[in-house]
Amino acid sequence: MKNITNLRGIAAQLVEQVIDKGQSLSTILPPAQRKLNDKDRALLQELSFGVIRYLPQLDHIILQLMDKPMKGKQRVIHYLMMVGIYQLRHTRVPPHAALAETVQAAVFLKRQSLKGLINGVLRNYQRRETDFNINKVSESVQYLHPSWLIHRVKAAWPDTWISLLEANNSRPPMWLRVNQLHHSRDSWLTLLQEAGIAATTTDLSPQAVCLEKPAGVTSLPGFEEGWVTVQDLSAQRCSLYLDPQPGEVILDICAAPGGKTTHILELANTAKVTAVDIDEQRLSRVAENLERLKLNAKLVCGDGRYPDDWLGDEYFDRILLDAPCSATGVIRRHPDIKWLRRDNDISDLAALQKEILEAAWKRLKPGGILLYATCSILPEENSLQVAAFLAAHPDASYQLLPGGTENGLQVLPSENGGDGFFYAKILKK
């Protein structure tokens, strides 16, 4: 059993794996949390997410406190000092505890000889805390995003780019989707209130509930029985706009981890749904979600660009394509996206989206509906993608969504709303 003195060391290792080795935090954090109690699990998440969220700011401060940056095998100590400064600057951890535990983590990381250096840098930060004015440095340090992404967001949203970046740096609300096969939203809300958990609702989804404070799923009434699912409000809107009908044959492409697949089946319980994903491991998450909710879908591991390899001669009444994208609309949930993505990824992703969209269109029945969606806020992946598709396909007719334009509906991340998402509903004539 790892004790609390190791949490800072584990957090430093996680940050190193993300920044230096390109690992996804949502992949590597859960295994690190498994052997910890609930309190330590929450603190490890706070420290690792926090450092990655504030990375340029913490880096900027450390480079002013040291003669030269730490490199090579000592790089993990650079990240450990970030963990220390993050606690002192952005958390309620008592400073003496933050200092002592962070210095002690050097032993866990087998860098005992560097305890004095870590202690000196953190104490120096405490003495000079008011010297660090991050508003007079680069935009990357000020807004906590890489410069290439700031440039793209500015170009796409010239009037609101600052508030958009600030939304990305905020903590996301916890949205739930009530399973209407078991309860109405109001009847489940009553159970939630009886459990002492405060929540609000929205008109944008008849199944959506937003918790006033995030809670563990085990505290949610009927979670294990499938009464409720954790799913962001904007993600819920995908299945609502698809508008599945009972008995229809429906294809969900890029389906993992299965939130939209299960929502389709809750809305149209007798629909015949095929859920496809290229990643077999992620597809197992779809199976787990279906099992918890006691729903049935056909699961296929396949590449969305080549449906002939895995589909046979099947055609569909409706297709949901939640296309692979930059995920720039969900940065507040996954702050590592800022550091894992590269500028040239955007054109590569747009090309991939086009291929999957073209392939899916061929499998849609005449009179059928395709809903194209991404969790991106960049027009290259969204409105420009759809405009090019509509121009190339005379048999495609755009269906205007409430609040949308002729090339789709773009939703931006908002404090009490959903994540950044894009939707385009296309009818095959």
Side-chain angles (χ1 to χ4, degrees):
M1 175 68 80
K2 295 181 177 74
N3 62 41
I4 196 163
T5 58
N6 293 343
L7 288 183
R8 280 78 180 168
I10 299 168
Q13 288 175 323
L14 292 172
V15 174
E16 181 184 39
Q17 285 179 265
V18 171
I19 304 305
D20 293 352
K21 297 174 184 172
Q23 297 287 313
S24 160
L25 187 56
S26 57
T27 302
I28 60 176
L29 178 62
Q33 290 176 308
R34 270 183 207 128
K35 294 179 182 176
L36 303 172
N37 61 41
D38 287 349
K39 185 181 172 188
D40 288 358
R41 202 175 290 139
L43 181 56
L44 181 60
Q45 179 163 323
E46 167 68 29
L47 296 177
S48 50
F49 266 78
V51 170
I52 285 171
R53 193 171 276 131
Y54 284 92
L55 195 81
Q57 183 193 108
L58 300 170
D59 208 31
H60 170 75
I61 290 169
I62 287 176
L63 293 178
Q64 291 182 72
L65 293 168
M66 298 184 70
D67 296 331
K68 56 183 180 180
M70 309 206 76
K71 294 179 179 175
K73 290 183 178 177
Q74 309 297 20
R75 190 71 180 155
V76 70
I77 297 302
H78 181 88
Y79 297 124
L80 178 61
M81 289 189 287
M82 283 188 172
V83 172
I85 291 171
Y86 174 74
Q87 290 169 89
L88 294 169
R89 193 173 178 88
H90 296 291
T91 74
R92 293 179 183 173
V93 176
H96 65 89
L99 205 73
E101 302 287 5
T102 304
V103 170
Q104 189 59 28
V107 179
F108 168 72
L109 295 169
K110 299 181 172 60
R111 305 287 195 282
Q112 193 155 353
S113 62
L114 296 174
K115 284 173 72 174
L117 172 68
I118 299 163
N119 186 55
V121 169
L122 295 183
R123 289 193 180 280
N124 193 8
Y125 169 76
Q126 283 184 302
R127 284 192 294 273
R128 295 176 52 193
E129 192 165 358
T130 54
D131 294 352
F132 302 105
N133 184 352
I134 55 110
N135 294 320
K136 293 185 177 177
V137 289
S138 71
E139 282 186 338
S140 183
V141 173
Q142 194 173 341
Y143 298 113
L144 308 176
H145 283 65
S147 53
W148 72 264
L149 184 51
I150 294 174
H151 176 76
R152 280 190 180 268
V153 174
K154 268 188 185 179
W157 306 101
D159 299 328
T160 56
W161 68 273
I162 292 177
S163 61
L164 244 174
L165 297 179
E166 287 172 346
N168 282 351
N169 296 328
S170 67
R171 290 165 190 265
M174 184 170 175
W175 284 95
L176 308 171
R177 185 187 82 227
V178 178
N179 184 349
Q180 65 179 30
L181 299 174
H182 289 279
H183 289 275
S184 69
R185 179 170 64 181
D186 288 348
S187 67
W188 188 80
L189 261 179
T190 304
L191 298 174
L192 192 66
Q193 286 160 354
E194 287 169 1
I197 300 174
T200 55
T201 59
T202 173
D203 294 337
L204 292 170
S205 166
Q207 293 95 34
V209 171
C210 186
L211 300 188
E212 288 192 6
K213 289 181 184 171
V217 292
T218 52
S219 66
L220 303 175
F223 180 81
E224 291 301 331
E225 291 82 9
W227 296 356
V228 68
T229 294
V230 179
Q231 188 184 36
D232 181 73
L233 171 63
S234 295
Q236 293 185 41
R237 292 169 73 175
C238 290
S239 303
L240 295 172
Y241 291 142
L242 182 70
D243 192 23
Q245 299 299 310
E248 286 185 329
V249 184
I250 297 173
L251 178 62
D252 182 4
I253 306 180
C254 310
K260 300 176 188 71
T261 307
T262 52
H263 194 193
I264 290 168
L265 287 162
E266 288 172 16
L267 295 171
N269 192 227
T270 58
K272 296 175 181 66
V273 176
T274 299
V276 180
D277 202 90
I278 196 168
D279 187 328
E280 199 152 351
Q281 200 171 358
R282 280 171 53 78
L283 201 62
S284 68
R285 296 269 310 279
V286 184
E288 288 166 13
N289 281 314
L290 286 164
E291 187 178 353
R292 183 179 66 84
L293 293 161
K294 298 175 182 63
L295 297 168
N296 293 300
K298 179 183 175 185
L299 301 188
V300 178
C301 187
D303 189 325
R305 295 172 294 177
Y306 313 117
D308 292 355
D309 293 350
W310 42 265
L311 250 192
D313 58 357
E314 206 166 358
Y315 290 80
F316 297 88
D317 299 301
R318 290 178 204 254
I319 296 176
L320 173 57
L321 169 53
D322 183 6
C325 71
S326 61
T328 42
V330 294
I331 285 173
R332 59 184 183 175
R333 291 189 191 283
H334 304 284
D336 52 346
I337 287 165
K338 295 185 287 189
W339 319 117
L340 296 174
R341 284 267 170 260
R342 298 289 177 265
D343 193 20
N344 59 3
D345 290 344
I346 307 306
S347 57
D348 292 346
L349 285 162
L352 175 62
Q353 291 154 2
K354 182 184 178 188
E355 277 192 84
I356 300 174
L357 182 53
E358 292 283 351
W361 188 249
K362 291 172 185 170
R363 291 299 182 139
L364 187 67
K365 295 176 183 176
I369 293 285
L370 185 145
L371 189 89
Y372 174 83
T374 76
C375 55
S376 167
I377 58 168
L378 301 177
E380 294 86 348
E381 303 176 89
N382 297 340
S383 56
L384 296 177
Q385 182 79 263
V386 171
F389 179 82
L390 293 172
H393 289 271
D395 60 341
S397 164
Y398 178 70
Q399 307 283 288
L400 193 68
L401 292 169
T405 67
E406 70 277 5
N407 291 322
L409 168 62
Q410 179 72 65
V411 173
L412 300 176
S414 59
E415 188 179 354
N416 297 312
D419 294 333
F421 243 87
F422 175 83
Y423 321 85
K425 189 171 185 175
I426 307 168
L427 170 74
K428 195 167 200 176
K429 294 177 187 173

